[in-house]
Amino acid sequence: MKRRIATKTLKWAEPLPPLLPVRTVKQLLLCAILLVMPIRSPVLANRPRSFSSSSLADQPQVRTALDWFTKNLKWVDDEQVKLTEIPAPSFQEAKRAEAVRDILASEGLAIHTDKIGNVIGELPGSDEEVVVLAAHLDTVFPAGTEIKVRREGGRLVAPGISDNGTGLAGLLAVARAIQTAKIKPRRTILFAANVGEEGEGNLRGMRALIDAYRTKLRAVIVLDGSGTDHVTTKALASRRLEVLITGPGGHSWSDFGMPNPINALVRASVRFINTKVPAAPRTTFNLGQIEGGTSVNSIPYEAKLKVDLRSENEDEIARLESSLRDCVAAGVKDEMDNARERNRGKLEWKINQIGSRPGGELPPDSPLLTALRLADEYVGNQSRVERSSTDANIPLSLGIEAIALGAGGSGGGAHSLQEWYEPAGRDMGLKRVLLTLLGVAGFAPEKGPS
Ligand SMILES: [Zn+2]
């Protein structure tokens, strides 16, 4: 993506002035201007303040934090390997959560684990507002999957090493760097290792975090996987549905002609897969799982189908769901109309929602995206805006500023047994995260001499 802001005119998206020592005439003048400004209107009070691009990264404490990454890359690698080797399928994250909890506690943060298993380390700010840095704990790999990390050349190889070993290691590293540098933020920073991002976890960890902090929450930064090439600002909406058709069942020979739920499901499916979907907004459907019946010589009493619907526009998802309902109703009717023994039993059908990820978009002029762009500029990175399905879906759908980022380095083969991670360049990714986070968290006002 083309950068639109020249370095000289870059402004930090600082919600309130950073009240660390002002060291340049330019900054002094800027502060003077702010001090003599008339009382702020409610609208202006929430607008980001502007500061020169170097003001954040040049603060001595921020420097210390940035340097910490460069000096402690081995520690970050080691934590990533340790956490990755603790199994954490969705709904079974507790052991890995415990390990994360111990590390965050050793960094001097106030820790608590919420009802559903999210681990939250709190760095109190000087005011009531909150920003969240989150990484999901869970993986798509079932219990029993071999997850010993192998080193192959410069790479670490294991299921889950990047998604989300990298995110978790990044979360811990950023917390440690901030604590080492004794940075006191204006907004409270919550370092959250959350449960339930993958699959049927259905973003339950992030939903609980948002519920708990919603009124004070100003920004959410999600660390998911590796890389520095993208920033997810658009949430891809999806809906997962289960079709269930039931009937009386019977014997394949003696009850032949009774309505058959599998026949009805096949009739419905053939209709549905002919549904036209637009290329733009990109819209997709997938018949992902089908089951039913008990034996080859029985008329089944039940048939089930799981369907995944996605779109860049939620209206298209609603349209697809209503098309699915029409097709199932028509498929069942076809089967009933064609069954010779239709008087001996009736088919019933229903559709249950088994997952839903709402959509949403971060406005391009949001303070959070500005902070990310400035961080990119500082570390010499270029990133493209992306649409994806992540924990950021939940805050974005509620109008809360949120992005998802990779936590540096590079990775591939996500959700496969050959998943890999290469730490080269990780420090740049971590610096990018730290500067973005501090860009939205701001600094506590300095206390005068007492
Ligand atoms: Zn992930």
Side-chain angles (χ1 to χ4, degrees):
M1 167 153 185
K2 201 163 154 260
R3 285 182 289 179
R4 287 165 302 162
I5 329 170
T7 312
K8 290 262 187 282
T9 57
L10 279 175
K11 306 288 181 211
W12 280 102
E14 179 58 31
L16 278 181
L19 295 169
L20 289 178
V22 176
R23 293 178 302 139
T24 68
V25 175
K26 204 172 150 197
Q27 285 175 292
L28 205 56
L29 278 172
L30 190 52
C31 281
I33 292 165
L34 287 173
L35 284 172
V36 299
M37 270 172 54
I39 293 166
R40 282 182 265 152
S41 72
V43 175
L44 280 176
N46 288 326
R47 295 267 305 275
R49 301 274 145 234
S50 299
F51 286 86
S52 75
S53 64
S54 57
S55 64
L56 180 54
D58 280 356
Q59 305 297 348
Q61 288 172 306
V62 178
R63 258 286 108 245
T64 303
L66 292 172
D67 289 346
W68 187 92
F69 296 127
T70 316
K71 292 177 188 155
N72 292 279
L73 289 170
K74 186 173 178 314
W75 181 87
V76 187
D77 287 358
D78 291 347
E79 293 308 315
Q80 181 166 348
V81 169
K82 259 194 273 176
L83 291 173
T84 299
E85 290 183 346
I86 304 172
S90 305
F91 300 97
Q92 298 170 57
E93 300 98 336
K95 253 189 96 188
R96 187 179 285 187
E98 197 57 38
V100 169
R101 185 189 169 100
D102 289 348
I103 302 164
L104 287 176
S106 75
E107 291 168 357
L109 297 166
I111 312 289
H112 83 277
T113 302
D114 72 11
K115 277 205 301 262
I116 65 163
N118 294 319
V119 173
I120 301 146
E122 180 173 340
L123 177 62
S126 57
D127 74 20
E128 293 286 290
E129 296 179 330
V130 168
V131 299
V132 167
L133 182 68
H136 72 83
L137 287 158
D138 57 325
T139 74
V140 294
F141 302 100
T145 305
E146 173 61 49
I147 43 172
K148 183 85 191 128
V149 177
R150 305 192 309 277
R151 290 177 195 263
E152 292 179 3
R155 289 185 174 183
L156 305 171
V157 183
I161 185 71
S162 175
D163 180 13
N164 196 19
T166 310
L168 288 169
L171 179 78
L172 298 175
V174 171
R176 191 156 281 218
I178 286 178
Q179 288 294 74
T180 304
K182 300 188 164 54
I183 290 171
K184 300 281 171 255
R186 180 172 75 75
R187 290 173 168 163
T188 292
I189 299 176
L190 301 178
F191 298 95
N194 61 281
V195 299
E197 193 271 344
E198 302 284 6
E200 293 189 23
N202 201 28
L203 312 184
R204 67 193 191 105
M206 182 55 72
R207 289 178 208 266
L209 279 175
I210 302 291
D211 272 359
Y213 296 98
R214 181 156 179 189
T215 54
K216 304 174 188 169
L217 191 54
R218 294 297 168 265
V220 179
I221 301 170
V222 169
L223 301 182
D224 199 340
S226 308
T228 50
D229 57 339
H230 72 278
V231 49
T232 300
T233 62
K234 302 172 190 187
L236 178 62
S238 69
R239 202 171 295 174
R240 285 139 190 201
L241 302 166
E242 185 182 66
V243 178
L244 176 67
I245 302 177
T246 53
H251 192 277
S252 63
W253 170 256
S254 53
D255 296 317
F256 180 72
M258 277 176 64
N260 177 322
I262 289 185
N263 291 3
L265 189 62
V266 169
R267 293 179 195 272
S269 298
V270 168
R271 285 171 181 265
F272 181 68
I273 59 180
N274 288 314
T275 305
K276 295 278 175 282
V277 291
R282 184 173 154 79
T283 301
T284 64
F285 61 80
N286 184 52
L287 311 194
Q289 236 183 318
I290 189 160
E291 59 186 81
T294 51
S295 76
V296 70
N297 55 346
S298 302
I299 297 170
Y301 56 84
E302 151 177 301
K304 281 185 198 171
L305 171 68
K306 287 185 184 173
V307 185
D308 172 83
L309 312 176
R310 300 182 183 222
S311 180
E312 292 171 350
N313 181 328
E314 278 180 275
D315 294 346
E316 292 298 332
I317 293 187
R319 238 191 298 279
L320 266 181
E321 176 170 350
S322 96
S323 161
L324 180 64
R325 287 180 185 280
D326 292 348
C327 292
V328 173
V332 167
K333 182 170 183 306
D334 277 0
E335 175 62 10
M336 288 298 297
D337 289 350
N338 286 284
R340 219 162 52 188
E341 303 284 333
R342 56 179 164 275
N343 298 331
R344 290 181 52 205
K346 190 167 176 286
L347 295 181
E348 306 282 348
W349 67 274
K350 63 177 175 179
I351 294 182
N352 295 322
Q353 184 172 299
I354 52 172
S356 168
R357 297 181 169 211
E361 278 190 34
L362 184 66
D365 60 348
S366 74
L368 176 56
L369 191 56
T370 307
L372 182 272
R373 289 295 179 214
L374 288 160
D376 268 346
E377 188 77 28
Y378 181 81
V379 301
N381 185 52
Q382 290 200 352
S383 55
R384 60 174 196 285
V385 163
E386 219 177 59
R387 182 185 301 275
S388 179
S389 175
T390 68
D391 272 326
N393 278 51
I394 300 300
L396 284 173
S397 74
L398 298 167
I400 298 167
E401 295 201 2
I403 53 175
L405 301 172
S410 52
H415 295 196
S416 83
L417 298 176
Q418 288 75 43
E419 188 170 344
W420 58 272
Y421 175 67
E422 191 161 330
R426 186 200 308 258
D427 52 337
M428 192 254 268
L430 293 176
K431 288 173 183 176
R432 179 181 183 235
V433 173
L434 178 100
L435 290 172
T436 307
L437 178 64
L438 293 178
V440 288
F443 295 95
E446 280 216 318
K447 292 204 181 81
S450 52

